[in-house]
Amino acid sequence: MADVSKLIPGQKVLLQGNEAIARGALEAGVALAAAYPGNPSSEILQTLADSAHSAGIYVEWSTNEKVALESAAAASYAGLRGMASMKQNGVNVAQDFICNLTISGTQGGIVLVTCDDPSGVSSTNEEDARFIARVACLPLLEPATPAECLSMMKLAFELSEQIGNLVVLRGLARLSHTRAGVVPGPLPESKRRPRWDPSQRWFTIPVVPRHQAMLDKLAKAGEIMGAAGVNYYDGPQRPELLVVASGSSRLYADEARRMLEAGERVGILHLGATWPLDQELILEHLARADKILFAEEVDPHLEGGVKSIYAQHVRELGIKDFFGQDTGHKPPVGELSPSRVAAALADILGLPWQEVDPAYQEKAQVAQALVAPRQVGFCPGCPHRASYWSMKQVLAADGREGIVSGDIGCYTLGVLPTGYQRVNAVHCMGSGPGIASGLGKLRDQGFGQPVISVVGDSTFFHAALPALVNARWNNSDYVLVVLDNSATAMTGFQPHPGTGATAMGQAGTVVDVEQVCAGLGLPYAVVDPYDLEATQEALYDALQIGGGLRVLIFRRLCALVQNKQGGHPWSISVDPELCRGEDCGCHRFCTRVFRCPGLVFDEATGKATVDEVVCVGCGVCAQICPAGAIKARPKEATA
Amino acid sequence: MKALKYDPLDIVVTGVGGQGNVLASQVLGRALLDAGYQVTVGETYGLSQRGGSVMSQVRVSSGPVLGPMMPDHRATAIISLEPLEALRLVGTYGHPGVVVLTNDRPLRPQGVLAGEQAYPEPQELRATLEGLCAKLYWLPATAAALKLGNHILANVVLLGALCALDLLPIGAEQVEAALAAMFPEDKMAPNREALAKGLALVREV
Amino acid sequence: MVLPAAPFAPQPTGLERLLAEVINPGLCVACGACLGLCPHLIFLDGQVAAPDPCGLTSGRCWDLCPVAQRGGPGAAQGPIGPVLGAWQGRATARDLEGRAQYGGVVSELLALALEQALVQEAVVTAAGPRGAPQGLRVSGRSGVLGAAGSIYAGGGALGELNRALAEDACHPLAVVGLPCQIQALGAMRAHPDYPQTLERIHLVIGLFCTMNLPWRGVRDLLARHGVQAPLSRADFPPPPAGIFQVWSGGAYHELPLDQVRAISYPGCAGCADLTSEGADLSVGACEGKPGWNTILARTHAGAGLLELAAGKGLLELEPAQPASLEHLNQAAIAKRKRAAAWSEERRHG
């Protein structure tokens, strides 16, 4: 990412939503920023890391989101400004701390940024993390554009400091990854000196009075946000329909109104501050129209909140018609789009709405029969393909219906054909070893199936450790396979404890997976997943031992990182004389079963070939060819 | 500032993860922003590097700020680094007036490589696309890029080709300036060649 | 109403059916005939597995499988098959003592065939480095001695034969196998897509088969009795001993026969062949004469090799005792009856 501390104030630049959040934090004088990588939030901290030296701040990839927010709270208690950014899942990880922090309160400004992922484009769920604002009684801001990302970050820090509590800013995947014009402001000229006044104590008891204080802070936050101009109305004095919207949905509603040429009939209440809801403002605008539509992603947060306010004031407001999730005008799942909002507007206003000529639509739909789905898969040369290949072979040879408990990372794709669908369960960070730990304790009740838990090297440190200690303690019987590709590859190759590098590019201390295993008293071995025979032998043996937790570390650098570091050593080719093609004795084993995208089956010749644009030269396929037709030769020799 | 021929001007840039799709849309967005237009570039790259479909939307207007997602069936142009991806998005964003500009080099989806699904014959794919747009540019962008020494330049070749159409309010020199702002000077020679090659490809058609 | 005739759909004769009828029901006896032909069938730690469907509806894996191809009546020549001459004998060389089974005849004959260059390599079954039996190619006396002795567990040795036959080579081969493996060899020689088997297999030595065991079952049984694998030797002494004798790391152990029977291959129950009727020579224990083998010469090639060995003084040979042969006949008849009853039972559910 770019060093956004170098942007020139007043000069408009194209910034990604996540970069604008980072710039906003710098302009607000953030002193400590921490995060655990998770798309769509990852670029926020990466941008801050790349700006850290010139901005003179501390930026950290933490082991997990809870630790990240705790670090940010430390800055707050030292009188500085701190922030933690995460994807929606991270909010769950941090929730225990959040729900106590909100009672103890904070000193320096502290902001939690959550980047939600409606439709789950790069997530295991599409959770709406706005719940945390209601649960923990925290002020919530929802920007709609990169420019608002910047300005609302500054507001969030100010607000946090004024009320003495955490403030939540909610981004969305589309916004995080949108680039638009942003005009940066100035950076602060002076820095605060960190000091924790020893007379200051931050804790949560007695709970009831502190709970009351927390609610008072929230009410105060509502007043401040109301005055900040982040909520506004845009439309005619007496619209037929009022759209109450937040986030990207505000823009979708605006565009839908334009497409339908319904500017005279539709007003939009833009809500940038969505918790607490500004009751006065909402009552004022509800009075404008008799029909109200909600546009938001994913949960009916505004819909529920506004209806609740309405219920208290129904006598003065009279009968209204509400449209939203409850009436099917806002989908309960997945993200919104301008077309979806337009369809809702058209339906409510009784307007004709046709996206495109039906004859064209039909022709285009028929043509889609030609379009094969493009399922995601492991990259060419990915060590995970080799690892899952070995797991598949060994579990079949073992023959006891072995179970693979999966986890979060690139290797989650093991549930798909690219990983031979060899993963039986995936939930959240660290859940794999926990489930395995439980399975491994069912032996006495007759559970005879072998159990493998796969975790990536970054996940190992994030959330796997407590489950491993649990398994060690209780003597649970399973094999932990650490898929160590020395990178947090799924989210953009961030460093982690096992790599020893830090977010700011300095050398940290390597926290070694082997040493952790040794410290826990776990037997472990390291194998190279590219060496299929050795890997399969080690895994088979590990499965036969039984009796407790044992660890295999499958270590091989991420293929994408390897590509950047000079590439793989082999030049791969197929000898057509030896290739058995579709005959008995092979039947497209490499392309149909192994499924590396670098291998192509040439229908014309009936032989496999190598796609030189795709193949990276890892050489694994040469080990699986039954005819020895796939040749791996050193690259130099062929160059 | 030149008036937009289409307002909003909505360009979909698509392809397969790793083809340089996001970079192409960033270059275009930057060039248009520098020329004074209201620009929103929406990027979708959840699992982009893992062989999935990738799409960016470059949205340009002279007035209101636009959201990151364009309405269905309203694209001005679809630029695709892979021909099947062009057809995929025509299904969502196409209409009889859309202009399609696509690389002709197929990248077969995993299911096709595994023999589970079919990839259409090039002639069939081309004819189908032609029947669903106002004008199709079927260009050998990867072949041209390979001649310049690196298949990854196909994205810049297509940007050059886009500049040869009468859609953008800016010219190739402004796109080149945006590239120059993002690449070190020693990497610019092949990029300039790729832009020029793209322009030439369209003029040959 | 006349229903249209159902379209003709021949039953598949490939991996899918092999899985459905042999491997998944647990009837595989690990002969190895399906191994080494393609990457879809693998063999690890004494067990055959197929991780992925191969996608073809026919294949040699099915055609060659002795369990799949079973079901016809036994050979017409009587309960122990064709016999040119029946002998009892033992090797005179002392280097075989304590290693080879009974009289050491198989090892001596193989070593001789290799020395005389009648064959260049022999495919045998031997314990691998971690105890599991596996196919092995040997090419001289020391190799034969290293592989001598039986551990009575399926080792997939024919997979090694298939690999040898797939090589770009033409040297003659010998095979030592159990009746199931000798049956599979017959199917290989008759298979239209496998011409090299006829050309290259010059010597087939079959073993009498009393019981064949799955290696993993043996290993677990040994573990239950505190015996460390690998075994150097194993033996079933004749009734009424009721034990299975094993030697491991110089120590001798006895395991109860009923526990061994309980783990034996279910797929063996349908086998009607006690004496490897399709071999050139069949060799087994000599009833009533410990330390000696019974030898059946079935072909002229087999008889010739036996004659050569006797002529060179490598084997001490006597004509088989009628009582011993009668005992063998009775045992073979009993095995046929058991197989017929088993097949009948399966047919009726």
Side-chain angles (χ1 to χ4, degrees):
Chain A
M1 307 309 296
D3 178 352
V4 291
S5 73
K6 301 253 172 73
L7 297 177
I8 300 159
Q11 193 172 315
K12 190 175 187 180
V13 284
L14 196 65
L15 278 192
Q16 200 191 42
N18 281 345
E19 292 171 331
I21 288 171
R23 173 70 191 189
L26 291 179
E27 289 182 17
V30 73
L32 183 154
Y36 182 81
N39 288 342
S41 72
S42 308
E43 295 90 351
I44 298 171
L45 196 97
Q46 194 60 56
T47 302
L48 286 166
D50 294 343
S51 313
H53 291 288
S54 43
I57 62 170
Y58 176 68
V59 176
E60 170 183 293
W61 285 121
S62 307
T63 47
N64 68 33
E65 294 85 350
K66 179 168 171 280
V67 174
L69 186 63
E70 286 155 355
S71 297
S76 170
Y77 292 144
L80 305 182
R81 289 186 168 183
M83 70 176 277
S85 51
M86 57 199 67
K87 67 185 299 175
Q88 76 278 7
N89 309 62
V91 175
N92 302 334
V93 176
Q95 186 178 350
D96 198 3
F97 182 61
I98 294 170
C99 288
N100 288 287
L101 181 67
T102 186
I103 303 180
S104 77
T106 58
Q107 176 87 11
I110 174 167
V111 178
L112 183 157
V113 179
T114 168
C115 294
D116 292 2
D117 190 7
S119 290
V121 175
S122 49
S123 301
T124 51
N125 67 26
E126 59 168 346
E127 179 178 338
D128 186 336
R130 291 181 295 180
F131 80 94
I132 197 69
R134 292 196 307 273
V135 169
C137 301
L138 298 172
L140 174 66
L141 292 165
E142 291 191 62
T145 63
E148 285 187 0
C149 285
L150 189 153
S151 61
M152 286 193 188
M153 274 305 281
K154 289 162 74 172
L155 172 62
F157 277 107
E158 284 301 325
L159 179 60
S160 167
E161 221 154 272
Q162 286 179 43
I163 63 168
N165 203 356
L166 179 67
V167 173
V168 181
L169 182 132
R170 185 219 194 191
L172 296 159
R174 297 270 173 205
L175 174 59
S176 286
H177 294 163
T178 285
R179 285 170 204 278
V182 174
V183 182
L187 296 177
E189 280 169 12
S190 62
K191 289 199 179 296
R192 298 179 189 173
R193 198 180 145 269
R195 178 175 174 269
W196 185 329
D197 177 351
S199 69
Q200 291 267 34
R201 289 169 300 151
W202 306 94
F203 52 92
T204 63
I205 48 174
V207 170
V208 171
R210 282 180 177 266
H211 188 181
Q212 184 58 54
M214 172 180 89
L215 294 175
D216 296 344
K217 287 176 183 178
L218 186 65
K220 185 178 169 194
E223 286 165 24
I224 298 168
M225 292 193 292
V230 291
N231 302 328
Y232 61 93
Y233 174 74
D234 159 32
Q237 202 55 39
R238 288 287 305 168
E240 199 177 324
L241 173 70
L242 176 74
V243 184
V244 180
S246 67
S248 304
S249 307
R250 289 161 47 198
L251 301 170
Y252 302 156
D254 190 30
E255 184 148 12
R257 182 172 62 176
R258 269 201 308 282
M259 285 194 290
L260 289 164
E261 295 172 348
E264 301 300 313
R265 300 173 67 186
V266 179
I268 301 172
L269 179 58
H270 295 258
L271 293 182
T274 54
W275 197 255
L277 288 172
D278 186 335
Q279 181 163 318
E280 253 175 67
L281 177 92
I282 284 164
L283 289 174
E284 176 197 336
H285 293 287
L286 283 181
R288 288 179 189 276
D290 293 333
K291 292 176 178 167
I292 292 101
L293 169 70
F294 299 97
E296 59 185 322
E297 300 170 305
V298 175
D299 289 345
H301 170 87
L302 301 178
E303 189 170 340
V306 170
K307 281 180 178 174
S308 164
I309 293 168
Y310 171 74
Q312 285 298 320
H313 299 269
V314 68
R315 285 180 202 283
E316 61 222 64
L317 287 169
I319 299 301
K320 307 271 179 198
D321 286 319
F322 290 95
F323 301 89
Q325 183 163 316
D326 288 345
T327 57
H329 290 86
K330 181 226 134 206
V333 296
E335 59 187 341
L336 272 186
S337 68
S339 296
R340 283 180 144 178
V341 179
L345 286 187
D347 182 64
I348 296 164
L349 298 175
L351 290 171
W353 169 242
Q354 185 182 303
E355 284 180 327
V356 69
D357 171 42
Y360 179 90
Q361 175 96 314
E362 198 192 327
K363 206 161 105 185
Q365 282 311 311
V366 169
Q368 290 306 304
L370 291 177
V371 185
R374 202 175 280 281
Q375 199 167 50
V376 294
F378 294 130
C379 304
C382 178
H384 297 327
R385 177 180 292 102
S387 295
Y388 280 117
W389 180 264
S390 288
M391 280 187 252
K392 165 178 79 75
Q393 295 292 101
V394 166
L395 288 173
D398 176 85
R400 291 177 292 166
E401 301 186 306
I403 294 295
V404 178
S405 184
D407 221 295
I408 304 297
C410 283
Y411 55 98
T412 302
L413 301 186
V415 298
L416 301 178
T418 190
Y420 316 108
Q421 297 171 318
R422 208 31 284 202
V423 172
N424 297 90
V426 175
H427 298 90
C428 66
M429 295 288 287
S431 62
I435 289 175
S437 182
L439 284 172
K441 291 308 297 178
L442 299 178
R443 299 290 181 222
D444 291 346
Q445 295 177 60
F447 184 75
Q449 297 165 257
V451 178
I452 297 174
S453 158
V454 291
V455 297
D457 39 342
S458 190
T459 307
F460 180 86
F461 294 107
H462 177 287
L465 287 174
L468 297 181
V469 173
N470 185 66
R472 172 66 175 152
W473 173 27
N474 292 298
N475 288 323
S476 178
D477 171 23
Y478 72 94
V479 176
L480 175 78
V481 171
V482 182
L483 298 171
D484 181 356
N485 62 359
S486 304
T488 315
M490 195 65 155
T491 50
F493 318 108
Q494 292 82 3
H496 61 69
T499 68
T502 65
M504 292 168 68
Q506 289 145 336
T509 303
V510 175
V511 183
D512 188 81
V513 176
E514 285 100 310
Q515 281 184 25
V516 172
C517 292
L520 288 174
L522 298 172
Y524 68 90
V526 182
V527 293
D528 175 3
Y530 275 9
D531 184 342
L532 299 180
E533 199 181 328
T535 302
Q536 290 173 22
E537 192 176 311
L539 182 59
Y540 185 81
D541 287 349
L543 288 177
Q544 307 315 306
I545 297 166
L549 175 59
R550 54 269 186 214
V551 183
L552 285 176
I553 300 161
F554 287 11
R555 181 167 292 146
R556 171 57 77 160
L557 188 62
C558 166
L560 295 178
V561 178
Q562 183 68 50
N563 291 345
K564 288 175 191 158
Q565 295 181 3
H568 292 78
W570 307 106
S571 171
I572 308 296
S573 59
V574 178
D575 182 341
E577 295 292 312
L578 294 176
C579 176
R580 294 177 188 166
E582 296 184 283
D583 291 344
C584 171
C586 182
H587 193 217
R588 302 186 180 203
F589 190 58
C590 61
T591 55
R592 191 179 57 83
V593 185
F594 184 64
R595 297 172 84 107
C596 175
L599 293 159
V600 180
F601 193 79
D602 184 339
E603 304 282 349
T605 62
K607 305 284 181 185
T609 60
V610 174
D611 185 334
E612 79 281 6
V613 171
V614 178
C615 174
V616 297
C618 73
V620 173
C621 58
Q623 298 172 53
I624 62 121
C625 176
I630 302 180
K631 307 284 187 193
R633 297 185 180 86
K635 267 181 183 156
E636 290 72 34
T638 54
Chain B
M1 199 168 89
K2 199 173 152 189
L4 287 170
K5 189 173 167 189
Y6 300 92
D7 194 352
L9 169 66
D10 275 333
I11 298 173
V12 178
V13 184
T14 186
V16 178
Q19 286 193 305
N21 158 305
V22 170
L23 180 90
S25 62
Q26 268 183 49
V27 169
L28 202 53
R30 180 165 189 151
L32 288 157
L33 183 94
D34 290 348
Y37 298 93
Q38 189 75 258
V39 177
T40 301
V41 183
E43 299 162 1
T44 311
Y45 51 84
L47 298 166
S48 62
Q49 274 173 312
R50 284 127 202 111
S53 304
V54 185
M55 168 184 64
S56 308
Q57 301 185 345
V58 181
R59 311 199 64 198
V60 191
S61 84
S62 55
V65 177
L66 298 172
M69 212 192 310
M70 63 179 65
D72 296 350
H73 300 292
R74 302 261 169 147
T76 316
I78 294 173
I79 317 291
S80 184
L81 285 152
E82 203 280 344
L84 194 67
E85 293 312 303
L87 185 54
R88 188 189 310 278
L89 287 195
V90 162
T92 311
Y93 296 102
H95 55 93
V98 72
V99 174
V100 176
L101 204 150
T102 184
N103 187 7
D104 67 0
R105 170 70 142 82
L107 271 178
R108 291 172 180 81
Q110 207 192 108
V112 172
L113 291 175
E116 294 158 356
Q117 285 136 2
Y119 194 98
E121 289 299 319
Q123 305 89 310
E124 188 187 10
L125 186 51
R126 186 172 178 169
T128 308
L129 274 170
E130 247 157 9
L132 288 167
C133 67
K135 176 80 184 160
L136 172 70
Y137 297 88
W138 179 268
L139 305 172
T142 295
L146 282 170
K147 271 190 203 151
L148 297 172
N150 192 342
H151 64 87
I152 199 70
L153 289 166
N155 58 353
V156 182
V157 171
L158 284 186
L159 280 182
L162 177 65
C163 291
L165 312 182
D166 187 27
L167 290 174
L168 298 180
I170 56 171
E173 55 293 340
Q174 282 154 293
V175 173
E176 189 187 316
L179 271 168
M182 294 169 71
F183 281 94
E185 182 51 34
D186 62 326
K187 295 258 173 71
M188 275 304 290
N191 278 313
R192 285 197 186 94
E193 282 180 62
L195 265 184
K197 184 67 196 171
L199 280 163
L201 282 178
V202 168
R203 286 174 186 151
E204 284 161 18
V205 170
Chain C
M1 194 174 82
V2 180
L3 290 168
F8 175 66
Q11 249 199 315
T13 56
L15 176 57
E16 191 190 337
R17 188 163 167 205
L18 189 74
L19 282 168
E21 296 189 16
V22 179
I23 297 176
N24 293 342
L27 298 179
C28 172
V29 297
C31 73
C34 63
L35 300 172
L37 296 167
C38 80
H40 298 287
L41 281 149
I42 59 174
F43 185 74
L44 185 68
D45 202 27
Q47 195 163 305
V48 175
D52 303 284
C54 84
L56 296 174
T57 51
S58 66
R60 286 174 293 177
C61 56
W62 171 264
D63 299 340
L64 306 183
C65 173
V67 177
Q69 303 307 329
R70 209 177 261 163
Q77 283 95 339
I80 59 168
V83 177
L84 296 181
W87 306 86
Q88 53 197 38
R90 64 174 176 181
T92 54
R94 296 280 66 94
D95 58 356
L96 286 165
E97 221 167 352
R99 304 174 71 171
Q101 211 73 7
Y102 312 118
V105 168
V106 172
S107 300
E108 198 55 71
L109 288 172
L110 264 194
L112 177 63
L114 289 164
E115 273 162 20
Q116 296 289 309
L118 299 175
V119 297
Q120 209 170 311
E121 283 185 306
V123 174
V124 300
T125 301
R130 287 176 302 162
Q134 60 186 42
L136 188 69
R137 275 188 266 172
V138 295
S139 54
R141 186 178 180 87
S142 63
V144 171
L145 289 188
S150 170
I151 52 175
Y152 289 93
L158 292 186
E160 195 52 40
L161 176 67
N162 283 327
R163 275 184 283 275
L165 291 169
E167 283 171 4
D168 193 11
C170 56
H171 60 262
L173 300 166
V175 183
V176 180
L178 296 168
C180 50
Q181 292 171 314
I182 306 307
Q183 289 158 23
L185 275 174
M188 287 162 83
R189 286 167 144 167
H191 201 283
D193 299 337
Y194 221 177
Q196 65 268 48
T197 52
L198 264 184
E199 292 158 21
R200 291 190 57 199
I201 300 173
H202 285 211
L203 175 65
V204 176
I205 301 180
L207 306 171
F208 298 175
C209 184
T210 40
M211 196 181 293
N212 192 20
L213 303 170
W215 162 248
R216 296 184 195 182
V218 172
R219 186 191 54 196
D220 294 347
L221 184 64
L222 293 175
R224 284 210 298 280
H225 288 270
V227 183
Q228 285 279 321
L231 297 181
S232 54
R233 205 184 140 189
D235 201 357
F236 288 105
I243 53 162
F244 182 46
Q245 305 171 308
V246 294
W247 287 261
S248 159
Y252 167 77
H253 309 265
E254 291 179 356
L255 311 182
L257 194 60
D258 53 341
Q259 287 184 21
V260 178
R261 275 214 187 89
I263 61 157
S264 69
Y265 280 122
C268 290
C271 175
D273 184 359
L274 178 74
T275 57
S276 292
E277 297 171 30
D280 293 309
L281 285 159
S282 294
V283 183
C286 181
E287 205 66 42
K289 199 159 184 181
W292 284 64
N293 289 116
T294 296
I295 307 154
L296 305 176
R298 300 184 183 277
T299 65
H300 293 293
L305 180 66
L306 196 61
E307 216 168 284
L308 184 66
K312 283 179 170 292
L314 299 170
L315 294 183
E316 189 181 345
L317 281 187
E318 301 168 354
Q321 294 298 311
S324 167
L325 275 184
E326 183 48 30
H327 192 96
L328 192 62
N329 260 315
Q330 290 307 322
I333 289 166
K335 186 165 182 182
R336 284 195 175 179
K337 277 186 181 159
R338 283 198 303 273
W342 187 81
S343 301
E344 193 64 17
E345 194 186 317
R346 274 180 65 80
R347 250 197 299 283
H348 294 104

